[in-house]
Amino acid sequence: MPAKDTAASSTPLSGADLWSSSLASHVPFLIARARALMVRRCNQALRPLGLNVRTFSLLWLTTEPVPATQRELSDFLDLDPSQVVALIDDLEAQGLVERRANPADRRARQTVATEKGRRLCGTAQAAVDRATEEVFAGLTKGEQAQLTSLLLGINRQKPSRA
Amino acid sequence: MPAKDTAASSTPLSGADLWSSSLASHVPFLIARARALMVRRCNQALRPLGLNVRTFSLLWLTTEPVPATQRELSDFLDLDPSQVVALIDDLEAQGLVERRANPADRRARQTVATEKGRRLCGTAQAAVDRATEEVFAGLTKGEQAQLTSLLLGINRQKPSRA
DNA sequence: TATTGTTATACTCTATAACTATA
DNA sequence: TATAGTTATAGAGTATAACAATA
């Protein structure tokens, strides 16, 4: 288990200070590590609700006013369409979302949250917010907003479809 | 395949603008998506060299002046010790690193890059830097530095061992 | 012919438990 | 007894290919 909360390990061993290594300020490494921390905490907070970060994100999107097609969801979430199928199956089996026929195009069905799904989404958002704050404990509110804006810059610069 | 470079898809379908949804500014989502983009590009750049982001990070650390134990490496990389074993096995099979006996504690062997490993690490760093710049195309150099500093704040606030 | 959703499959990553050899 | 490294195994996440229904 990667989360080391043993609070023991008093032995310095080799004394290598890896945080002073050059890798420690390498962004691909930092972003991967921060994401691992974040996802682990959030999944932990979501598990009692029967969700994880992926089903949670998907459920969230199905509460939006304009229902999206699965293709749009897969583009936005950066998941393969086949993965979206499995995630919606999961949510549908729990009665949290419904697949509705789209009169305009019978291929492109719309996925919409049920009333139960909307309620659970609200609860889940609160739980995830608490988990996020823990991970963000080292940053001020201003820094958190700054981080959000920078990450948006990375994510949006790559047009999902040009 | 999640990377949509089909350049076609002229149909707006439902017209749902998911980037204007509230999820789009949610940090756990943004950080996961940015990391997916980053890792995919970097792995693509590293594949011809026989590496991926995980073996690359590990190889990098073994070029540091003070050799770390596997326990220290697993703490720093936020990986389970058993995963580090497999990654080092991989690197060792390619002749990139060596496991050396530690005279002070025969349990705690030291993993050190070979000359071949050091050369490859340099090549890999250049390749990863190019890939990173692509992902960072939307950010100025100053913003990239800011992002690095903010991510360090998240990662370091959780002491690997208190 | 092209696209949406779907099924199937294989591969990587992550999580957990137990074992061994040293300390 | 406790720790470093290791083995084994199962589950989650990711990548690809192919197919049926619809456009």
Side-chain angles (χ1 to χ4, degrees):
Chain A
M1 38 122 160
K4 297 281 143 42
D5 293 325
T6 39
S9 55
S10 45
T11 328
L13 290 172
S14 78
D17 179 12
L18 295 175
W19 277 111
S20 69
S21 72
S22 44
L23 179 64
S25 53
H26 196 245
V27 179
F29 163 72
L30 286 173
I31 216 169
R33 200 178 194 279
R35 170 262 179 186
L37 256 56
M38 189 76 88
V39 168
R40 197 180 301 134
R41 288 284 177 104
C42 289
N43 276 340
Q44 187 179 320
L46 289 168
R47 191 165 307 124
L49 304 175
L51 297 172
N52 59 33
V53 286
R54 305 173 81 208
T55 50
F56 166 64
S57 297
L58 192 48
L59 176 60
W60 187 330
L61 291 178
T62 63
T63 67
E64 291 293 320
V66 180
T69 66
Q70 291 185 207
R71 182 67 53 165
E72 288 165 334
L73 292 170
S74 79
D75 281 353
F76 183 65
L77 293 173
D78 193 36
L79 297 172
D80 190 81
S82 63
Q83 299 178 50
V84 174
V85 172
L87 295 174
I88 294 184
D89 284 349
D90 182 350
L91 291 175
E92 202 172 31
Q94 298 182 61
L96 301 172
V97 304
E98 283 175 356
R99 278 189 247 237
R100 289 188 189 160
N102 183 346
D105 185 336
R106 281 193 293 174
R107 291 173 305 178
R109 299 157 81 189
Q110 297 172 337
T111 306
V112 181
T114 62
E115 193 46 44
K116 179 182 173 189
R118 286 173 198 280
R119 278 198 304 274
L120 185 65
C121 188
T123 310
Q125 283 169 340
V128 166
D129 283 349
R130 281 192 298 276
T132 304
E133 275 172 29
E134 282 181 49
V135 179
F136 272 171
L139 303 184
T140 66
K141 289 286 175 194
E143 287 172 331
Q144 296 176 27
Q146 221 172 28
L147 181 61
T148 303
S149 145
L150 292 171
L151 290 172
L152 262 173
I154 290 181
N155 281 293
R156 298 220 57 178
Q157 65 102 2
K158 176 178 167 57
S160 297
R161 58 207 137 155
Chain B
M1 39 127 157
K4 297 281 139 39
D5 293 324
T6 39
S9 53
S10 44
T11 328
L13 291 172
S14 78
D17 180 14
L18 295 175
W19 277 111
S20 69
S21 72
S22 45
L23 179 63
S25 52
H26 196 246
V27 179
F29 163 72
L30 287 173
I31 214 168
R33 200 178 193 281
R35 170 261 179 190
L37 257 54
M38 189 76 90
V39 167
R40 197 181 302 134
R41 289 285 177 104
C42 289
N43 275 339
Q44 188 179 319
L46 289 169
R47 192 167 308 124
L49 304 175
L51 296 173
N52 59 31
V53 286
R54 306 173 79 209
T55 50
F56 166 64
S57 296
L58 192 49
L59 176 60
W60 186 331
L61 290 178
T62 63
T63 67
E64 291 292 321
V66 179
T69 66
Q70 291 185 207
R71 181 68 54 165
E72 287 165 335
L73 292 170
S74 79
D75 281 353
F76 183 66
L77 294 172
D78 195 35
L79 299 172
D80 191 79
S82 64
Q83 299 179 48
V84 174
V85 172
L87 296 174
I88 294 184
D89 284 348
D90 182 349
L91 291 174
E92 201 172 31
Q94 298 181 60
L96 301 172
V97 304
E98 283 176 355
R99 279 189 246 237
R100 290 189 189 160
N102 182 345
D105 185 336
R106 279 192 295 174
R107 293 173 305 179
R109 297 157 83 188
Q110 297 172 337
T111 306
V112 181
T114 62
E115 194 47 44
K116 179 183 174 189
R118 286 172 199 280
R119 276 197 305 272
L120 185 66
C121 188
T123 309
Q125 283 169 339
V128 166
D129 283 350
R130 281 192 299 275
T132 304
E133 275 172 29
E134 281 181 49
V135 179
F136 272 172
L139 302 185
T140 66
K141 289 288 174 193
E143 287 172 331
Q144 296 176 26
Q146 220 172 27
L147 181 61
T148 303
S149 144
L150 291 171
L151 290 173
L152 262 173
I154 291 181
N155 281 293
R156 298 221 56 178
Q157 65 102 3
K158 175 177 168 54
S160 297
R161 58 203 140 161

